[in-house]
Amino acid sequence: MSSAPLNLLFLPGDGIGPEIVAATRQVLEAAGAQFDLTLNFEEAQIGFTALEANGITIPDAVIEAARNCDGIVLGPVSHNDYPPLSEGGLNPSGVLRKRLDLFANIRPAMTRAGLVPPCGTPFDLIVVRENTEGFYSDRNMASGPGEIMPDEDMALAIRKITRAACRRIAEEAFKLAATREARHVTAVHKANVLRLSDGLFLEEVRKVAARYPQIAYDEVLVDAMAAQLVRDASRYDVIVTTNMYGDILSDLASELSGSLGLAASLNAGTDHAMAQAQHGSAPDIAGCDIANPASLIGSAVMLLDWLGERRDDPALTRAAAAISAALERAIADPEGRTADLGGACGTSEFAARLAADLR
Ligand code: ATP
C-alpha cells in the first residue's frame, strides 16, 4: 500500500536559506521516488523577499498555507536585520512557532562516525527546549512585546513561565527518553536564583518524572551544564529546559559535535511540525554555495519521522532512516564534506551526492 500524499511547504528565507532549502528539497525528492511517497511541494516567500513583495516578512497567506500543509521546511531568516514591526519586520520563525503552537523544539546533537569531534568524547544527546514562552519577547505575550523601555536608560524583559508549558515540555522529554537506550532525563534550570520561575519549571518536571520511574532523572544548574557539556557531554541523554537555556546549550552541544552546520531541529506541536536548522542565516557565506545543508536535511528527516509516527506510516519512517543513513555516510567521507567540516564539497554537490546515494 502506498503512502497518503504529503503536502510540504518550503519557506526559503534569507541568507543561506534558499541554498540549503533547495538542497533539502532535492534530497526529499530522491527519497520520495525511492520509497514511493507522494510528495507535493509548495514554496512560499518569507523574509526580505516577502518584505519587498508584500511589505511584510511573513504574509498572512503564508501562515495559512503553513496551517493547512502537512509539514513545513523553514529556511533560516535574518530577523535581526529586519525593520521594526511597524514596517513589516516580524520574525517568521517566532510567528510560526506561536501561531501553530509549536511548543517543543527538539534539538539533537551527536558526534559522527569518521569525524573527530572538537570535544574528543563521543556523545549523543537531545535538547528538548520549550518554544513558546520564557524570555522570547516576540512570542511570550498574548499582545504586545515582552520587552519594554520605561525610559531611555532602562530596559525590562519579562520572562513568562507557565505550569502548562512546563508540563507539556517535560512530557515530551520523558516520552522521547523512553524511546532511547540511555533513558535519562536531565532538567536544566537556575532555580537557585530564579526561585519562582525556574522553581515552578522544576516542580512540573518532577511531577512528570514521578510518572516515569523507569527513566533516570536528575537536575543540573544551567551554568554547571555549560561546563559539563564541554567536559563530558556523553553523560547526558535528554536535556529538558526552558526556552533561552535550551537555545544556548543546544548551540554549544552542536558545535561540540563538529559544526553548527550539522545542527538539525524540529519544532513540534500537537497538530503541526516544522523542520528548521538550529543556526541562523549565515550572511557571511550566503550565495557562495559553501553552506552545509546537513542541518536542514537532518531537520527534514525529523519531520518525516514525526509524520511517519503520527500517520503510522512505515514508508515515511523508512525514508527518514534512509536519508539519515545517507547523511551519516556523506559526513563520514572526507571527499563529501563541506567547508565548515574542512572539506571542499559545495552545498549543491553535497545534495546531489546524497540524492545519488539514495537512488
Ligand atoms: P542567529 O542570531 O540568527 O542565530 P548568527 O549570525 O548569530 O545568527 P549564524 O547565522 O548561525 O549565527 O552563523 C554563525 C556562524 O556559523 C557563521 O560564521 C556562519 O557562517 C556559520 N554557519 C551557520 N550555519 C552554517 C552552515 N549551515 N554551514 C556552514 N556554516 C554555517
Side-chain angles (χ1 to χ4, degrees):
M1 198 183 71
S2 65
S3 294
L6 207 56
N7 299 318
L8 298 177
L9 176 68
F10 287 77
L11 304 172
D14 305 309
I16 59 170
E19 297 160 72
I20 64 171
V21 165
T24 303
R25 184 170 170 159
Q26 187 179 353
V27 170
L28 285 178
E29 271 163 357
Q34 198 60 31
F35 289 89
D36 202 18
L37 309 177
T38 310
L39 301 181
N40 301 319
F41 298 115
E42 187 190 343
E43 195 163 299
Q45 296 308 324
I46 54 164
F48 279 116
T49 318
L51 185 68
E52 215 163 280
N54 307 291
I56 189 159
T57 50
I58 179 156
D60 283 345
V62 175
I63 301 172
E64 264 328 283
R67 198 185 293 289
N68 293 327
C69 71
D70 297 309
I72 308 152
V73 177
L74 175 72
V77 290
S78 303
H79 62 96
N80 288 325
D81 302 325
Y82 292 168
L85 203 61
S86 54
E87 292 165 33
L90 281 92
N91 176 1
S93 159
V95 169
L96 289 171
R97 288 174 183 189
K98 183 172 175 176
R99 296 286 292 273
L100 303 183
D101 198 23
L102 305 173
F103 65 86
N105 189 202
I106 316 287
R107 295 185 152 198
M110 74 287 269
T111 48
R112 317 283 179 139
L115 188 67
V116 180
C119 59
T121 326
F123 68 87
D124 178 357
L125 61 81
I126 301 186
V127 176
V128 177
R129 164 195 177 198
E130 202 291 321
N131 217 9
T132 56
E133 49 184 40
F135 265 126
Y136 285 69
S137 60
D138 63 340
R139 73 199 75 150
N140 64 2
M141 298 286 134
S143 161
E147 254 190 325
I148 47 173
M149 205 154 189
D151 68 53
E152 292 218 331
D153 299 312
M154 184 202 299
L156 303 173
I158 297 165
R159 179 168 185 254
K160 176 180 162 194
I161 301 289
T162 64
R163 281 194 196 280
C166 296
R167 207 177 305 132
R168 65 182 180 173
I169 199 65
E171 194 63 58
E172 203 65 24
F174 279 88
K175 272 201 302 214
L176 191 60
T179 67
R180 290 167 61 85
E181 208 179 318
R183 292 174 163 237
H184 174 197
V185 172
T186 305
V188 171
H189 66 98
K190 189 74 183 167
N192 54 340
V193 287
L194 294 166
R195 288 170 189 269
L196 296 181
S197 50
D198 274 2
L200 191 147
F201 166 74
L202 282 184
E203 265 179 37
E204 292 308 309
V205 182
R206 285 173 191 161
K207 284 182 204 161
V208 178
R211 288 197 278 108
Y212 287 84
Q214 75 281 21
I215 293 175
Y217 173 65
D218 55 10
E219 297 166 357
V220 178
L221 289 169
V222 63
D223 42 351
M225 183 51 108
Q228 292 291 351
L229 282 179
V230 174
R231 178 174 293 218
D232 183 8
S234 70
R235 292 171 55 180
Y236 302 101
D237 179 30
V238 174
I239 292 171
V240 63
T241 190
T242 51
N243 204 340
M244 189 177 283
Y245 304 152
D247 197 4
I248 297 167
L249 290 177
S250 54
D251 266 29
L252 174 64
S254 300
E255 201 54 41
L256 287 173
S257 77
S259 164
L260 256 183
L262 297 173
S265 96
L266 186 73
N267 298 277
T270 311
D271 301 320
H272 305 276
M274 175 168 82
Q276 179 183 18
Q278 287 181 36
H279 55 73
S281 61
D284 52 334
I285 56 168
C288 304
D289 194 36
I290 59 170
N292 189 348
S295 52
L296 193 60
I297 296 169
S299 309
V301 166
M302 295 176 77
L303 177 62
L304 283 187
D305 246 340
W306 186 88
L307 287 163
E309 191 181 319
R310 195 178 150 79
R311 293 181 165 198
D312 198 15
D313 182 344
L316 291 178
T317 311
R318 275 200 302 274
I323 303 174
S324 186
L327 205 48
E328 290 305 313
R329 286 192 291 276
I331 294 164
D333 174 9
E335 292 280 303
R337 288 185 195 147
T338 43
D340 56 318
L341 297 175
C345 186
T347 312
S348 44
E349 188 192 337
F350 186 92
R353 278 168 168 257
L354 217 57
D357 183 350
L358 284 164
R359 282 185 216 109

